[in-house]
Amino acid sequence: MRFFIDDLPVIFPYDYVYPEQYQYMCGLKRSLDSKGHAMLEMPSGTGKTISLLSLIIAYQQFYPGRRKLVYCSRTVPEIDKALAELKRLMEYRQRQGCADENFIGLGLTSRKNLCVHPQVSTERKGAIVDARCREMTASWVRQKAQTVGNIELCDFFETLQTMETSELLPSGVYTLEDLTDYGKAHKMCPYYLSRRVIPMADVIIYSFHYMLDPKVAELVSKEFEKDSIVVFDEAHNIDSICIDSLSIDINERTLRSSTASVERLGERVDEMKAQNSEKLRGEYDRLVEGLRDALAARDEDLVLSNPILPDHVLNEAVPGNIRKAEHFVRFLKRFIEYLKARMRVMHVVAETTP
């Protein structure tokens, strides 16, 4: 059905619109007109998602200067459900004669959900999928593969790198399954495909973390226009998502593993010191330089698995007391012991920096 809200023609893919849905869309349009913020609430099962999409897509297509819609949802099933609703809406608009040319709508989720590599996609843990993916797609790995022949690269990622952005994805709406099928058919990585197409897309549907987690947002969302329309579905979850994004979980097993890793690092340092002190110094200088170059590493997606290092910290010099490799190892050991002591405390302790 077609109806108007002020001067805006709205295409709604059902034969009847409830009064609550109409009021919801009116409130949403007032917010878009004022370029302000709104908190809108509707009971579950009353067609909130399709009402929102119908109004915003109509707004995008009717007014000049199409604004990008960034729709944030909490879980992968909810992301896929919203994509299915969007796909149904755009098909209905096409049947109604709407000329929605070059419209692209797609979702973005983790590598684990989008990977099509025959071996990597069989891994059950997301962290392992991420690690194996980076082992085959990081820029330094690909550069090394040009001189060393036995390094495995991802053919799906390599195909993607040979293509122009304008050739990557035809217009349309792609659910996560559609994106995976398209990647398999064209031998392209769906995860990095969606990452590259995001700047061209009219609608992006993804997890809260891609907007709220500074580590992830820096990679995915930093280039969005300032006038983009950002929607948080079930926004009452925002506080818990923010807490989760800025937190890290440490358990005894993690600390035991860290202790063993530092011990191995110390042994390696001693070996290199005995063999070639200059080489050791060079290796450590590269480590220090790597900290300074961490901003560049974000383009390789390396920081997603690490706690946040603020930009001002990355740009500062390494403290003088850990400028030598053996000092660095001793510092790590003391830090791990400090964390172990804190793990033994039976009550809540809050600390700030000195």
Side-chain angles (χ1 to χ4, degrees):
M1 67 180 297
R2 180 191 296 261
F3 57 89
F4 284 83
I5 297 179
D6 300 330
D7 62 336
L8 176 66
V10 179
I11 305 295
F12 192 72
Y14 296 101
D15 296 332
Y16 181 80
V17 57
Y18 293 110
E20 295 81 5
Q21 291 174 318
Y22 184 79
Q23 292 172 9
Y24 183 86
M25 287 188 272
C26 289
L28 184 56
K29 183 180 182 297
R30 286 195 297 271
S31 176
L32 295 177
D33 288 340
S34 65
K35 296 185 178 180
H37 307 288
M39 279 200 312
L40 304 173
E41 185 175 9
M42 282 180 69
S44 299
T46 52
K48 173 177 78 260
T49 303
I50 193 60
S51 301
L52 183 147
L53 291 174
S54 297
L55 188 285
I56 294 181
I57 298 303
Y59 202 97
Q60 276 185 327
Q61 302 298 321
F62 185 72
Y63 294 112
R66 186 185 297 180
R67 295 161 66 182
K68 188 187 298 289
L69 167 60
V70 184
Y71 186 101
C72 303
S73 197
R74 194 167 54 91
T75 65
V76 173
E78 289 170 352
I79 292 171
D80 230 6
K81 181 181 177 182
L83 286 167
E85 291 272 29
L86 177 63
K87 189 173 185 177
R88 189 180 305 115
L89 171 63
M90 298 310 295
E91 290 172 350
Y92 182 81
R93 287 178 61 89
Q94 189 174 18
R95 293 196 298 270
Q96 296 300 308
C98 298
D100 301 323
E101 297 180 356
N102 301 320
F103 183 93
I104 295 179
L106 76 162
L108 177 62
T109 182
S110 65
R111 291 179 177 86
K112 182 178 182 298
N113 296 321
L114 290 177
C115 182
V116 293
H117 189 280
Q119 285 77 46
V120 179
S121 60
T122 60
E123 298 288 353
R124 300 179 63 181
K125 294 185 178 180
I128 297 177
V129 174
D130 290 347
R132 293 194 60 185
C133 175
R134 295 189 191 105
E135 288 172 359
M136 293 187 287
T137 61
S139 60
W140 65 270
V141 174
R142 298 176 65 234
Q143 185 175 5
K144 187 175 181 180
Q146 295 176 3
T147 55
V148 181
N150 61 347
I151 294 179
E152 182 184 6
L153 300 178
C154 176
D155 293 336
F156 297 90
F157 181 81
E158 294 302 316
T159 301
L160 190 66
Q161 297 304 106
T162 64
M163 301 185 67
E164 297 292 333
T165 302
S166 58
E167 304 172 334
L168 293 177
L169 198 66
S171 59
V173 178
Y174 297 83
T175 65
L176 300 180
E177 184 179 358
D178 293 337
L179 201 59
T180 303
D181 291 342
Y182 185 87
K184 289 179 180 178
H186 294 82
K187 305 299 181 185
M188 290 191 293
C189 170
Y191 174 77
Y192 283 104
L193 171 62
S194 60
R195 286 269 303 271
R196 281 188 59 183
V197 173
I198 276 179
M200 304 169 10
D202 298 282
V203 177
I204 301 106
I205 301 178
Y206 60 23
S207 166
F208 280 35
H209 290 87
Y210 288 98
M211 182 61 70
L212 299 176
D213 188 331
K215 304 188 296 296
V216 187
E218 180 72 14
L219 290 164
V220 177
S221 307
K222 65 178 179 180
E223 296 181 357
F224 288 164
E225 299 86 350
K226 290 185 178 179
D227 64 346
S228 297
I229 302 167
V230 180
V231 174
F232 289 99
D233 187 22
E234 299 189 24
H236 58 274
N237 293 296
I238 284 181
D239 57 347
S240 60
I241 297 295
C242 290
I243 291 171
D244 180 62
S245 298
L246 296 173
S247 301
I248 182 171
D249 294 328
I250 299 175
N251 54 37
E252 291 184 359
R253 193 172 109 188
T254 303
L255 294 178
R256 285 197 300 270
S257 176
S258 300
T259 300
S261 296
V262 173
E263 290 293 341
R264 288 196 299 271
L265 177 61
E267 292 170 2
R268 180 62 177 151
V269 166
D270 291 339
E271 290 175 9
M272 293 184 68
K273 189 175 179 181
Q275 294 171 3
N276 189 333
S277 59
E278 286 300 320
K279 182 179 179 182
L280 173 61
R281 183 65 197 176
E283 291 287 345
Y284 187 67
D285 286 343
R286 280 195 288 274
L287 171 64
V288 172
E289 193 63 32
L291 289 173
R292 296 194 183 101
D293 292 342
L295 287 174
R298 288 176 178 170
D299 293 333
E300 300 171 10
D301 213 8
L302 295 178
V303 296
L304 285 177
S305 60
N306 299 318
I308 297 169
L309 288 176
D311 291 348
H312 71 277
V313 173
L314 295 174
N315 292 327
E316 288 179 356
V318 174
N321 60 342
I322 58 171
R323 283 181 184 160
K324 291 184 178 180
E326 55 267 34
H327 295 166
F328 182 63
V329 171
R330 285 201 293 269
F331 166 78
L332 289 179
K333 288 181 179 179
R334 289 199 305 271
F335 182 63
I336 293 171
E337 291 304 317
Y338 168 81
L339 293 177
K340 287 180 178 179
R342 279 285 166 253
M343 291 284 288
R344 290 192 289 268
V345 173
M346 302 302 294
H347 58 277
V348 177
V349 176
E351 290 188 3
T352 59
T353 54

